[in-house]
Amino acid sequence: MKILGKIPQYWLFRSINFPRPLPINLTISITYRCNSCCKTCNIYNRRAKELSLEEYKKIFSSLRKTPYWITISGGEPFLRNDIAEICQLAIDLCRPAIINIPTNGILSDYIIESARKIAQHNHRTKIIVNISLDDIGTNHDEIRGVKGNFDKALTTFNRLKQLNYPNLAVGIHTVISKFNIERFADIVDSLLALKPDSYICEIAEKRKELETTKADITPTIKDYAKAIQFLRNTIKGNRFFGISKLTQAFRIHYYDLSKETLMKKRQIIPCYAGFASAQIAPDGDVWMCCIKAASIGNLRDVDYDFKTLWLSRKADEARVAIKKGQCYCPLANATYTNMLLNVKSLIHVGLNYLNFSCRHK
């Protein structure tokens, strides 16, 4: 209900450029460093002068309590030895309802220690840790480029589940690519058998952020559509509870939209990247989205005041291009925000949620 009351502001922002609220969905990449060498991602090749804890304090103070959903990403975010402190600052200064953290699961001890600190800090904020699993056993290790990655990630997943904090959810994230599409049905069945609190799949894309603009990683639309249909049917047959049930209701509709976006090669519903969602790179650059990763400025140059960049002429120019539909993508994080701000999508999500509730009574 808290977020629904803000929706009209973003409708007006996109239509008449007033009012101009700060984003409700914010991705914060805290490092490019990664201890995986994935076939679907080359981000580990990038370098940045990373923002410090004190710099994040200034940024979060400027954002105030607007962000509802914050994603702390990388690279591998748990390579930062201050990730718990970064999340605690975000919780204290921004009061988000949800903090989502993706991880390859390799640094098991440190991930558990950090997740415990973050979850204990404030029980009002839901913490979601998503373990990245693209395949099973050595197939996963081959895609991720690290021997033993699957076993370490599985250990981390099980240990996180054992923490049993009421505000901690443990999910699984799978990238659908040319390297696993033929085994996709078996992968989904195996991973859902682990009983994650939520499960999300996203197609391998050509992203500037990941340095994959020239990589041959994306499966054919036909194969992806077939995989998504299988995933939708499988998810509907599984049980989810609490916020995870709502999350899966959103994700089922997301799969429909992502498939249609790739088939028709256009925005299916209005995109609110740059209006309601944005991303902060590890060096302080602000992007409207990570597909183009085009900077509208650096927070270090404006005394860490996010609003100064958000209301800049360069930001407005980027919004015009997005509003005109000059780009399209099935990026999950941004699409969830778009769905939240689209009435028809909300109806679909509501029906999905009711179907979950009725089927699993």
Side-chain angles (χ1 to χ4, degrees):
M1 295 305 298
K2 175 184 175 182
I3 199 67
L4 289 177
K6 296 181 178 181
I7 287 177
Q9 295 181 47
Y10 294 97
W11 288 343
L12 291 170
F13 189 7
R14 196 177 188 277
S15 61
I16 63 172
N17 204 33
F18 184 84
R20 293 153 68 83
L22 297 178
I24 52 174
N25 180 1
L26 190 64
T27 296
I28 303 173
S29 296
I30 58 177
T31 185
Y32 287 136
R33 291 176 287 142
C34 193
N35 47 354
S36 293
C37 298
C38 302
K39 291 182 177 181
T40 56
C41 176
N42 299 312
I43 201 168
Y44 55 84
N45 288 325
R46 302 191 66 165
R47 299 291 181 269
K49 183 181 178 183
E50 296 173 359
L51 293 165
S52 67
L53 190 63
E54 186 59 34
E55 287 176 306
Y56 278 118
K57 183 177 181 179
K58 294 176 182 178
I59 294 167
F60 294 148
S61 295
S62 77
L63 286 162
R64 300 188 295 276
K65 297 179 182 179
T66 305
Y68 181 83
W69 180 304
I70 293 178
T71 298
I72 304 293
S73 72
E76 170 50 48
F78 286 98
L79 284 175
R80 287 282 302 238
N81 60 14
D82 56 358
I83 184 174
E85 289 75 16
I86 292 172
C87 291
Q88 288 168 349
L89 275 177
I91 291 169
D92 290 342
L93 297 172
C94 298
R95 301 290 182 181
I98 299 168
I99 288 183
N100 176 61
I101 312 172
T103 176
N104 59 26
I106 292 175
L107 302 174
S108 189
D109 289 343
Y110 182 63
I111 293 170
I112 301 305
E113 174 192 349
S114 300
R116 181 185 288 110
K117 287 181 181 178
I118 299 166
Q120 287 178 338
H121 187 69
N122 188 325
H123 292 170
R124 293 179 181 178
T125 297
K126 187 75 173 182
I127 310 300
I128 305 172
V129 179
N130 279 322
I131 307 295
S132 296
L133 291 172
D134 294 340
D135 213 319
I136 307 301
T138 56
N139 287 330
H140 174 75
D141 297 350
E142 184 177 348
I143 292 173
R144 289 277 163 166
V146 177
K147 187 177 181 180
N149 192 338
F150 181 79
D151 289 339
K152 291 175 183 177
L154 195 58
T155 295
T156 302
F157 173 83
N158 289 326
R159 291 179 65 188
L160 283 169
K161 293 284 283 184
Q162 290 170 6
L163 289 179
N164 203 30
Y165 289 112
N167 64 324
L168 176 64
V170 187
I172 293 177
H173 177 278
T174 298
V175 176
I176 306 175
S177 69
K178 281 191 169 184
F179 310 111
N180 62 5
I181 190 72
E182 292 182 358
R183 298 184 298 277
F184 184 72
D186 291 336
I187 293 168
V188 170
D189 286 341
S190 297
L191 295 181
L192 284 177
L194 298 174
K195 299 189 181 304
D197 294 321
S198 64
Y199 183 62
I200 177 66
C201 288
E202 198 167 2
I203 192 169
E205 295 179 88
K206 296 179 183 294
R207 292 191 201 175
K208 185 177 178 181
E209 177 199 21
L210 307 182
E211 296 197 342
T212 56
T213 54
K214 297 181 181 179
D216 183 21
I217 58 178
T218 308
T220 66
I221 300 301
K222 182 179 178 180
D223 287 342
Y224 179 68
K226 182 179 178 181
I228 288 304
Q229 188 58 47
F230 173 82
L231 181 59
R232 288 181 85 264
N233 295 339
T234 303
I235 285 178
K236 284 187 174 182
N238 277 264
R239 286 194 170 202
F240 297 96
F241 301 93
I243 193 172
S244 296
K245 184 163 60 174
L246 180 59
T247 301
Q248 293 306 123
F250 267 91
R251 284 174 177 167
I252 287 175
H253 187 51
Y254 159 71
Y255 296 134
D256 293 336
L257 290 175
S258 65
K259 180 175 65 176
E260 193 173 357
T261 298
L262 292 169
M263 292 178 68
K264 296 183 178 179
K265 297 183 179 181
R266 62 175 176 81
Q267 293 179 15
I268 303 304
I269 59 175
C271 182
Y272 281 83
F275 296 94
S277 63
Q279 182 158 340
I280 300 175
D283 61 357
D285 275 352
V286 175
W287 307 334
M288 297 309 200
C289 74
C290 65
I291 299 297
K292 290 186 174 182
S295 176
I296 60 169
N298 191 285
L299 289 162
R300 285 174 168 145
D301 297 332
V302 292
D303 197 26
Y304 308 98
D305 183 14
F306 187 92
K307 190 173 184 179
T308 298
L309 295 183
W310 191 243
L311 301 182
S312 67
R313 184 178 67 180
K314 198 167 184 179
D316 284 338
E317 290 171 353
R319 290 187 188 103
V320 169
I322 293 169
K323 185 178 176 181
K324 287 182 177 179
Q326 294 178 4
C327 57
Y328 66 91
C329 73
L331 182 67
N333 204 319
T335 303
Y336 294 148
T337 307
N338 300 341
M339 290 160 57
L340 187 64
L341 295 166
N342 182 265
V343 174
K344 289 183 178 179
S345 289
L346 284 179
I347 292 171
H348 281 290
V349 171
L351 292 174
N352 290 337
Y353 185 84
L354 289 174
N355 286 335
F356 268 128
S357 301
C358 294
R359 189 171 298 169
H360 301 309
K361 277 186 176 180

